[in-house]
Each structure stands twice: as structure tokens, then as C-alpha cells.
Amino acid sequence: MRDVAVRAGVSLKTVSRVINGEAGVAAATAAKVGEAIAELGFRRNDLARSLRQGRTSSTLGLVIEDVANPFYSAIAQAVEAEARERGYMVITGSCEEDPERERELIGALLRRRVDALLLVPASREHSYLRRELADGTPVVFLDRPPEGLEADCVLLDNVGGARAATEHLLAQGHERIALVAGPSELYTAGARLAGYREALAAAGLPRNHELVRVGSRDAAQAEAAVRDLLALPAGRRPTALFTGDNRNTVGALRALRAHGPGAATGAGSGSSAARPIALVGFDDFELAELLAVPTTVVRHDSHLMGRHAATLAFERLDGVERPPRTVVVPTALVARGSGEVPPP
Amino acid sequence: MRDVAVRAGVSLKTVSRVINGEAGVAAATAAKVGEAIAELGFRRNDLARSLRQGRTSSTLGLVIEDVANPFYSAIAQAVEAEARERGYMVITGSCEEDPERERELIGALLRRRVDALLLVPASREHSYLRRELADGTPVVFLDRPPEGLEADCVLLDNVGGARAATEHLLAQGHERIALVAGPSELYTAGARLAGYREALAAAGLPRNHELVRVGSRDAAQAEAAVRDLLALPAGRRPTALFTGDNRNTVGALRALRAHGPGAATGAGSGSSAARPIALVGFDDFELAELLAVPTTVVRHDSHLMGRHAATLAFERLDGVERPPRTVVVPTALVARGSGEVPPP
DNA sequence: TTGTAAGCGTTATCAG
DNA sequence: CTGATAACGCTTACAA
């Protein structure tokens, strides 16, 4: 900037004014400065800029589990879109369900002085964020609530969605409905397990531990879990499956395919053990309607979750003072076929 | 930091040493400083830190078209993983095929002094980056080459992949093979069009403009294009489709489904017009094997593209001087059924 | 082992 | 309308 000032024969402050389009600069002066800037290829240093006290970095920190998972990339997309409208950029990090990585990432983001932090927490203890929150850095939790801390939060209606899915299967006459989901320590998996149980209890069905397969963290583990269920003797084998998230649904679909062609279609003339199994999955996914088994899902707007989270953060940055708020995004059952298969 | 120094009764420099784990601090002093840091909840300001000359921001800038597209989110994931290993973070922006947004994004990233820039360019003129490149900021192009500039670049074998796809369909006996792809000004779409044409020419088939549908930028447009093709009179209607990217494949699958149940399976007993149409798509996608029409695709490793790009950038940051290099990532045809349907 | 002073690139204050 | 100077939070060179 000094070089520009020298070249244009003005002071630093004048260059600053031109750069920032401040009023009170003679057109001729501005032109000279503009030339110097162009000739020198000068670019304002926004890092230095945000050093002055009271200034912001115009950057949001976003911590998710995995950018490659469409659920999270939709959130990232929405957050970025909201951020852009306000002239913010987003630094994103994936922590892959590792609490330690979560802390590292958050540390790195805070050291970079992000103006707000949006996160899908992998850990279950967030009191270590209390100080930043008190110091005025907005922290918004996504998909999973804060623990040991009061903060803004955007959640899905997990219990309601899971209950609806299970009720849907019950309504078809199923009684042996298995749940295949992530580890129940995971907030969402736990809540969906609860919804599943609520629906079964309301229907007067006893708990059947054999049919609850929680713990699968990826599609491969889910596939194995479903294979396991399918290997049960006929009288104990589930006639329907509720999968707790998109990874588990993918795994289940793969296992069901292996089990018999078109698990839920009547079309299959596959292995002797093959019997159509009903399936409802939590999380919608692209092409679900074009699968050999058009898949019935609990749909929700993950994009909206990201938008809400960004909005909550920006409200705080705008100085709005209010107690922490939790926004719940609704879910809806979308029947496509796989969930409308009756028991044998 | 000054507060910490005061509280610990030491100088700024000593605090700095402790923070950065520098040697030459008495254990007792370090402990006192550590306490003060904990009590005050102090966090080093990495923005200020990177201000000193010679220091880096330890940040990479990544510009892609759309985080929500699995092709790009795989790249983002890989870049982030490589960055993490080196203690870098990534600021990602989506420009949605808008050249103006590309420039804005790049400007914002450069102003934030990212140490390197990785980008999937939306524009076709990149000489405006010449100065940064000359000034030592590594710039790596992804998926599409630089124009008006010499820079490192990671590409797919677009021509080879497209040729293989087309040859595969030709080998089944198809002669009316349509191409459904993005606008040919788009580098990848253009290259795939070229590969498609090469294969047809090699087979001695004349060009048939009616069957070349380039211009669809999203799944909806692709769907419309395919519907259009399907509406052609029987003798001119294509018997096979080659779709140029994952968005076009999704659109085509939807149109084919509407056209007749199981477009490529013999299973369909749909509308009177329904005839099985072969399909090969560029880009693999999750669950392709579980579709009603298991989809034959040209597969590649988009994750690897991100890794290569990050590696090229880090090599430059490590001071390796060499002429710009272009890495080409191979493609492979994966036959799943939809591409192995013979002509009627 | 510890401290002092200068400087990184910008903006804010206040004076001209 | 323009400029001098201090300050932002940190690191480096150099002393002590």
C-alpha cells in the first residue's frame, strides 16, 4: 500500500480511502491512485485489515462430519450461500465423527478469528466453548444439540420422523420391524431409536432387541448388519426395516439387493431365502425413486438447516441479544414403494 | 497476549515463546504463563501472526462449481484431507458456472492471502491471474485447463473416456447414439463431445446433428433434452444415449423412467412407445448398480484429482521450481447393464 | 533464560 | 480534501 502511495504521490490514508471507496477524495487523486494500484497489481490485505480492533474477519467457521456426505454438503452449500449475501466467506472442516478432530478444527478456526462458528458436533461435551460464547462469538449447533452449554441450535424432528416411519410400516401390518442405525450415543441415532420405540410401544408391541441394530457408522457396516438380520431364521427375521440415516439406507439397499433381486418388488425370482422386505429410510437421496426398489423415505430440508444456522449466527453478529434458541426443521414421509410392501 | 504477560509477570516475548513451544523457557516460567493463558482463555491470533513478512496464512483457497455436486464435494474432501496433513485449512467457494462469481471469489481469497489457489474455472480467460502466479502464489486448475495462462492443472481423460463409452455402445451394434451433455463451450463437455465424435468417425458413421444435445446445465434440462430425443419418430430415435456428466445422467435416467418402466431392462411393459434404450454415463455415482437400470458408467477417481491438485500446490509452496505440469487422471468403463442393451 | 524495539499492512483519530 | 501518527496482535532480531 505504501508503494501505491509513493507511486501516486499521496499518503497511505488516501490510498486507503480509495481502496474502500470512501467519500472525500478528489476525482483526480482517486484516478492517480487507481492507476498506481493497477500498475502495481495491488490487492488489499484483508488479514491486516481485520486486525484493527472492532473489525471482523468476515469469515464463518463451519465444522461438519464429512463434506462428501450429501446431507452435510447441502448444509455447507446453504451456509455458503447465506454467507455470500453478507460478504462472508466460509472455512469448512470435516471432523469425521472424531471428537478430537472437532476440537482441533474449532481451535484452528477460532485462532483464525472466525466471526461465528457453526458446527455439527462430534463430541458430547461442549463446555470448552463457553468462554468464546461469553466473549461474543456466536456458536450455532447443527443437527445435534450442545451439551454442557446453552447455545443456538438447529435440529431435525428426529423423533417425529422416526415415529412416522415406524408407524407407516406398522400400518402395513408389519410387526417385526428392525432398526438399522448409527451408534445410539450419536444424538440423531438415539433420537430416531426413541421415535422407533415410541411407535412400537404405542402399537403395543414388545421390544425385540434382536431387531435393533445400532452402531453402524458407514454403509459397509450397515450392509453387514442387514445381512445379519436377513440370516435370522424365518420366524425371527424382520419383515420390515427402518434405516436411521442415508449411510445406513445405502448399506441396507446393498444388502437387500444381494439378498434377492428387488427386495421389495414382487419381481424377484432370486435365492430361495428371498422374500420382499419393506424399507423406510431416514434422509431422502437423489434417484431414490429410480431404484429397483423405489425407496420410501423420511424427507427433510437439509438446505434449510444450513440457512437457519447461518441466520441465527448473523442475528447475533448483528447484535441481537436473546436467549439461545432451538429451531426444529420438520420431516415428512415420502412413500415410493419400498415402504408399502405388506408382510408376507 | 499483553494481558497474559502482565498476569504472568513476564514479557510479551516470553508468552510468545510458550505459546509456540519454543525452547529456552524455564519450566516454572512456562507454568506461570500456562496458568495465565488458561485463566484468561487466551488464544493466539493467527491472523496477526501471519502478518509478519515471510509468514504464511496456512490457508488454501478452493473454488469449485457446486459443493452439493458429489464430483466437487469429493474434490473438496480430498483437498481438505491433504491440507490438514500440512496444518492448512481450506476456504471453499462455489461459483456455479458464473465467471463473474469466479473472479469475485478469487479476489476475496487472494485478499485473504491464501497461500495457494485451487480452482475449477467457470471462465475461459485466466490471464488476470498472471500477476499472482508471477508473485509466487501457486495456482492449480482442476477439471478444466487454464486459458491465456500457464499453470499446473489436473484433468480427467475426457476424450478417452468419452470415446470408450461410445465405442462400447457401438460394439453392441448401436448406430444411432445420442450425446446429452453440457454446453460445448464448457471444456469437459467439449472434450467429451470430441471423444464421442472420434469414436463415431472411427466406426465410419456420419455425424448426426439431431442426436447431439449439448447445452443442458442441470438435470432438469437434461431430462427435457432426452424427452425430446425420445419423441423423435422411430427411425430417427436414438437407440443409445451417452450422457456427459452426472447431472445429465440423472436427467436422462428420469426421462427414461418416464418413457417406459426400466428403460434398458426387458422388464418394462410400459407405454406403447417404450423401447429399451442403452445408456452410458460419464461420472460414476452411488447406487448406480441398484437402479432399476443398473447404470454403465465411465468411472474416474475425483478424490484423486483433489489430491493431485493439493500436491501440486504444496510442491510449489515447498519451493519446487518447475514448468507448469498437467496431470491426467484416467477413466475406466464400468459395465452394469444399461450400456449392454442391444439395439432393437 | 528473558526482555526491548521494530515492523507486518491496514484503519481510526485527529489535525491541517 | 488530505495527511501524520498510533494502534491492531503478533514475531523477529538483537540485547541483556
Side-chain angles (χ1 to χ4, degrees):
Chain A
M1 202 160 112
R2 193 177 42 225
D3 297 344
V4 173
V6 169
R7 184 165 196 123
V10 298
S11 76
L12 272 181
K13 181 60 201 172
T14 300
V15 176
S16 173
R17 278 193 259 260
V18 173
I19 289 169
N20 298 303
E22 281 173 40
V25 179
T29 314
K32 262 192 306 184
V33 173
E35 267 178 53
I37 288 178
E39 284 163 12
L40 265 45
F42 168 81
R43 253 185 238 276
R44 183 178 71 196
N45 183 331
D46 278 354
L47 264 36
R49 187 171 207 246
S50 61
L51 211 55
R52 279 304 306 250
Q53 69 185 164
R55 285 244 163 218
T56 72
S57 64
S58 294
T59 306
L60 254 34
L62 174 64
V63 175
I64 56 184
E65 300 306 331
D66 174 16
V67 236
N69 182 322
F71 174 68
Y72 298 110
S73 65
I75 288 176
Q77 188 190 41
V79 169
E80 195 206 314
E82 291 296 310
R84 155 151 56 262
E85 285 195 4
R86 314 267 309 220
Y88 275 65
M89 304 219 72
V90 184
I91 305 185
T92 307
S94 296
C95 63
E96 288 156 18
E97 302 291 0
D98 179 346
E100 206 170 318
R101 274 208 43 63
E102 172 192 319
R103 290 194 67 142
E104 281 169 18
L105 271 173
I106 290 178
L109 292 169
L110 292 172
R111 278 196 302 276
R112 278 175 169 75
R113 294 298 186 267
V114 293
D115 294 326
L117 198 56
L118 316 190
L119 77 150
V120 179
S123 74
R124 305 210 56 159
E125 229 300 297
H126 311 112
S127 48
Y128 68 97
L129 283 169
R130 178 155 299 139
R131 182 160 253 138
E132 335 295 329
L133 206 53
D135 289 354
T137 302
V139 178
V140 181
F141 285 74
L142 267 156
D143 196 43
R144 309 167 187 179
E147 300 189 44
L149 190 72
E150 299 252 299
D152 288 332
C153 181
V154 181
L155 300 176
L156 283 174
D157 177 15
N158 292 295
V159 175
R163 198 170 41 216
T166 312
E167 283 166 356
H168 187 72
L169 291 167
L170 287 166
Q172 318 290 321
H174 292 281
E175 299 200 330
R176 289 200 304 281
I177 302 172
L179 171 73
V180 184
S184 58
E185 307 86 67
L186 231 162
Y187 172 80
T188 45
R192 292 165 198 179
L193 169 60
Y196 160 84
R197 284 191 168 144
E198 272 184 26
L200 292 183
L205 289 173
R207 287 195 183 185
N208 183 342
H209 297 293
E210 191 173 49
L211 298 183
V212 175
R213 304 293 170 125
V214 289
S216 36
R217 296 182 163 280
D218 56 38
Q221 292 180 2
E223 184 174 349
V226 173
R227 276 186 206 284
D228 219 54
L229 285 167
L230 295 176
L232 288 173
R236 284 156 53 200
R237 193 184 308 147
T239 64
L241 248 50
F242 169 44
T243 49
D245 57 54
N246 66 19
R247 297 299 79 206
N248 277 281
T249 305
V250 167
L253 286 166
R254 293 198 175 127
L256 290 174
R257 202 275 292 265
H259 173 247
T265 69
S269 60
S271 76
S272 60
R275 292 228 191 117
I277 297 212
L279 173 68
V280 177
F282 205 107
D283 295 332
D284 198 0
F285 56 97
E286 189 167 52
L287 297 180
E289 79 279 12
L290 294 189
L291 291 191
V293 194
T295 306
T296 296
V297 299
V298 176
R299 167 158 67 192
H300 52 78
D301 190 345
S302 43
H303 212 264
L304 182 61
M305 295 180 70
R307 272 216 303 279
H308 275 310
T311 303
L312 287 168
F314 281 123
E315 274 178 25
R316 299 272 182 202
L317 289 175
D318 289 343
V320 177
E321 295 276 347
R322 51 163 171 66
R325 175 185 301 165
T326 293
V327 177
V328 175
V329 170
T331 59
L333 195 113
V334 181
R336 294 206 178 95
S338 75
E340 293 71 52
V341 178
Chain B
M1 201 161 113
R2 192 176 45 225
D3 297 345
V4 173
V6 169
R7 184 164 196 127
V10 298
S11 76
L12 271 183
K13 180 60 205 173
T14 300
V15 177
S16 173
R17 277 193 261 260
V18 173
I19 289 169
N20 298 304
E22 281 175 41
V25 179
T29 314
K32 260 192 309 185
V33 173
E35 268 178 52
I37 288 177
E39 285 163 12
L40 265 44
F42 168 80
R43 253 186 238 276
R44 184 178 71 196
N45 182 333
D46 278 354
L47 263 37
R49 189 170 206 252
S50 61
L51 211 55
R52 277 307 304 249
Q53 68 184 167
R55 286 243 161 219
T56 72
S57 64
S58 292
T59 306
L60 253 35
L62 174 64
V63 175
I64 55 184
E65 299 306 330
D66 174 17
V67 235
N69 182 322
F71 174 68
Y72 299 110
S73 66
I75 288 176
Q77 188 190 41
V79 169
E80 195 206 312
E82 291 295 311
R84 154 150 61 261
E85 286 196 3
R86 315 266 310 222
Y88 274 66
M89 305 219 73
V90 184
I91 307 185
T92 307
S94 296
C95 62
E96 287 154 21
E97 303 291 359
D98 179 346
E100 205 171 320
R101 274 206 45 61
E102 172 193 319
R103 290 193 68 143
E104 281 170 17
L105 270 173
I106 291 178
L109 291 169
L110 260 16
R111 279 196 300 275
R112 278 174 170 77
R113 293 299 186 267
V114 294
D115 294 326
L117 198 55
L118 316 190
L119 78 149
V120 179
S123 74
R124 303 208 59 158
E125 229 301 299
H126 310 113
S127 50
Y128 68 95
L129 282 169
R130 179 157 296 141
R131 182 161 252 137
E132 335 295 328
L133 206 54
D135 289 355
T137 302
V139 178
V140 181
F141 285 74
L142 268 156
D143 196 42
R144 308 168 187 180
E147 300 188 44
L149 191 72
E150 299 252 299
D152 288 331
C153 180
V154 180
L155 299 176
L156 283 174
D157 177 14
N158 292 295
V159 176
R163 198 171 41 215
T166 312
E167 283 167 355
H168 187 72
L169 292 167
L170 287 166
Q172 319 290 321
H174 292 280
E175 299 199 332
R176 288 201 304 280
I177 303 172
L179 171 73
V180 183
S184 59
E185 306 87 65
L186 231 161
Y187 172 80
T188 46
R192 293 167 198 178
L193 169 60
Y196 160 84
R197 285 191 169 147
E198 273 184 26
L200 292 183
L205 289 174
R207 286 194 183 185
N208 183 341
H209 297 292
E210 190 173 50
L211 297 183
V212 175
R213 304 292 170 127
V214 289
S216 36
R217 297 183 161 278
D218 56 39
Q221 291 179 2
E223 184 174 349
V226 173
R227 277 186 207 285
D228 220 52
L229 286 167
L230 295 175
L232 288 173
R236 283 155 54 198
R237 194 183 308 148
T239 64
L241 248 50
F242 169 44
T243 49
D245 58 53
N246 67 20
R247 296 298 82 205
N248 277 280
T249 306
V250 166
L253 285 165
R254 292 196 177 127
L256 290 175
R257 201 274 293 267
H259 173 247
T265 70
S269 60
S271 75
S272 60
R275 292 229 191 117
I277 296 214
L279 172 69
V280 178
F282 205 108
D283 296 332
D284 198 2
F285 55 97
E286 189 166 53
L287 298 180
E289 78 279 13
L290 295 188
L291 291 192
V293 194
T295 306
T296 296
V297 299
V298 175
R299 165 156 71 190
H300 53 78
D301 190 344
S302 44
H303 212 263
L304 182 61
M305 296 181 69
R307 272 216 301 280
H308 275 309
T311 303
L312 287 168
F314 281 125
E315 275 178 24
R316 299 270 181 202
L317 290 175
D318 289 343
V320 177
E321 296 277 349
R322 51 162 171 66
R325 176 184 300 165
T326 293
V327 177
V328 176
V329 171
T331 59
L333 194 113
V334 182
R336 294 208 177 95
S338 75
E340 293 71 51
V341 179

